[in-house]
Amino acid sequence: MGGSPVTPVYDASAHEPLTDTPWHAEHALAGIAAIVADAERAVGPAFWPNHPLDDDAAKPLPDGLTTIYLGAAGMIWALRRLGSSLPLAELADRALARYRARPDFGEDVPSMLMGETGILLVARIVGGEVADDERLRTRIRENERNPVWELMWGSPGTILVAREAGLEDEASRSAALLADACEEDGLWTQDLYGSQARYLGPVHGFAGNVHALRGHLSDDELRTRIEGPLRRYAVVDGPLVNWLPAVGAPSPSRLQWCHGSPGIVATLGDLLPSDLLLGGAELTWHAGPLAKGPGLCHGTAGNGYALLRAHTVTGDEVWLERARRFAMHALEQVERMRERHERGRFTFHTGDVGAALFARSCVDADSRFPTMDVW
């Protein structure tokens, strides 16, 4: 299979035992409805309240966040997907106005997850009056040579926005530049947060970049391109496979959607050789739910999408059964965390709606990861 054996292949202390609760679609739908109702009750003039678990240890988040990753745009998109009756177009217009008056983290950026293009796309999707394709086109072009070369801040994210908005010239131009920036060994260097690294996962590196090149390069070419790097940085323990978070890391430090096999499998599973696909999915199941919580980026729901992807690619019903067990656990995590903190967590990538979206995906047997695979 390749890769260099490193023990352990994951940190067992980051996971918790899987609940014994069996899958029932009606129970999952009730859990989804409860999360939606909680979010509808909590929205206010400053959108949704921040949660202490999302605060940086040294600096609490500002109020009224607006972007996809932690702010109103992500909640608006998720609630539309889940059938909310809130006035989502009005909320999207307000979020864009708020962002332009005061960018979430002080600097106006054109990125998908942390900047204006994501809010513009959500406004377009929900029918906001401020949706503006020319503004969107301009912002996508501004980001096409961003040296971070990753999904959260860089052009891979805005390529996905361009495709969804039908801005094919911008998508093609940015994708060509992204492909050209790929280095001889098949990876990209991220100039990110004041330092350089070469990440492998979907949020900050290789997997997200490859995903953004779908359609620009054929699936056969992408399969050829990815196998070498993914075997080179695979960490193998018998039938289990994880990946280093970045080139040069001494061992796998995380097993979650943003870094590690769940994100690699969920994002690239249909392009992976079968041994890597099954090894990454098997490790995700073997390790069990994440103790961090139920969310998408680094929680049980995000990991569960690897199991759904394995089901889609292989057709083996055992993966769907396993994904559904993760969904029930994630919904129970939402309830436990709400009781512990006496409130919900109202963010797209880290909060309760991630568990609701994953449960909905399990009802529908739909392995597409929210936003980046769906829109």
Side-chain angles (χ1 to χ4, degrees):
M1 181 180 291
S4 301
V6 176
T7 303
V9 73
Y10 76 105
D11 178 6
S13 69
H15 300 261
E16 62 186 31
L18 182 67
T19 180
D20 291 331
T21 306
W23 167 259
H24 290 290
E26 60 272 24
H27 293 172
L29 293 171
I32 294 167
I35 291 169
V36 171
D38 192 33
E40 291 176 336
R41 286 190 298 268
V43 69
F47 308 111
W48 284 270
N50 300 328
H51 196 281
L53 290 176
D54 288 313
D55 284 339
D56 184 274
K59 185 178 181 181
L61 292 173
D63 292 329
L65 295 177
T66 59
T67 51
I68 288 180
Y69 189 83
L70 288 175
M75 287 294 295
I76 291 164
W77 185 90
L79 290 172
R80 178 184 183 272
R81 184 83 174 158
L82 295 168
S84 172
S85 60
L86 286 176
L88 299 176
E90 176 187 329
L91 285 169
D93 287 347
R94 283 177 46 209
L96 189 57
R98 176 63 178 259
Y99 177 85
R100 289 174 175 172
R102 192 213 66 185
D104 283 5
F105 300 102
E107 181 182 359
D108 175 26
V109 294
S111 73
M112 176 180 77
L113 294 183
M114 304 294 272
E116 187 182 1
T117 59
I119 310 172
L120 279 165
L121 181 60
V122 170
R124 190 181 194 275
I125 289 169
V126 302
E129 293 182 2
V130 297
D132 182 345
D133 280 0
E134 286 310 307
R135 174 71 173 176
L136 192 55
R137 191 189 311 274
T138 297
R139 302 248 66 183
I140 291 165
R141 288 177 174 175
E142 289 174 9
N143 209 40
E144 64 186 13
R145 296 181 185 273
N146 192 326
V148 298
W149 300 118
E150 51 93 85
L151 190 77
M152 178 175 278
W153 300 96
S155 67
T158 44
I159 289 168
L160 300 183
V161 170
R163 288 210 184 103
E164 179 61 24
L167 303 176
E168 295 302 332
D169 288 347
E170 283 65 34
S172 179
R173 176 185 170 93
S174 288
L177 291 167
L178 176 64
D180 287 345
C182 185
E183 298 166 23
E184 286 187 8
D185 63 355
L187 300 179
W188 288 261
T189 297
Q190 285 73 47
D191 191 346
L192 183 65
Y193 305 137
S195 62
Q196 291 192 338
R198 310 184 77 204
Y199 290 103
L200 297 178
V203 181
H204 289 311
F206 174 79
N209 293 5
V210 172
H211 182 71
L213 291 175
R214 292 177 185 269
H216 180 75
L217 301 176
S218 71
D219 284 357
D220 285 344
E221 181 169 353
L222 291 175
R223 289 187 183 98
T224 299
R225 284 178 174 235
I226 70 173
E227 183 170 0
L230 289 180
R231 289 199 183 280
R232 190 177 312 127
Y233 299 108
V235 178
V236 180
D237 181 5
L240 308 178
V241 180
N242 202 358
W243 278 272
L244 301 174
V247 176
S251 65
S253 58
R254 280 163 284 187
L255 180 64
Q256 52 200 41
W257 180 73
C258 49
H259 296 288
S261 61
I264 300 288
V265 171
T267 308
L268 302 179
D270 59 315
L271 302 175
L272 291 176
S274 61
D275 59 331
L276 297 183
L277 166 73
L278 295 175
E282 191 63 47
L283 176 60
T284 303
W285 170 252
H286 171 84
L290 276 165
K292 290 181 180 180
L296 291 172
C297 188
H298 33 264
T300 299
N303 282 24
Y305 275 99
L307 308 178
L308 280 179
R309 179 68 77 164
H311 170 253
T312 296
V313 175
T314 67
D316 188 339
E317 291 294 312
V318 71
W319 294 111
L320 179 58
E321 295 168 7
R322 290 174 170 184
R324 287 172 167 171
R325 290 285 306 281
F326 265 45
M328 299 306 290
H329 190 100
L331 292 173
E332 291 182 7
Q333 283 181 306
V334 168
E335 295 176 6
R336 294 199 304 270
M337 294 186 76
R338 187 183 296 131
E339 291 173 358
R340 186 182 313 150
H341 294 278
E342 299 182 344
R343 51 168 297 179
R345 190 173 183 179
F346 305 111
T347 55
F348 177 74
H349 275 90
T350 64
D352 302 348
V353 293
L357 289 164
F358 177 56
R360 180 75 252 183
S361 292
C362 285
V363 171
D364 298 336
D366 182 356
S367 65
R368 295 175 299 165
F369 194 85
T371 64
M372 58 189 286
D373 285 335
V374 181
W375 293 115

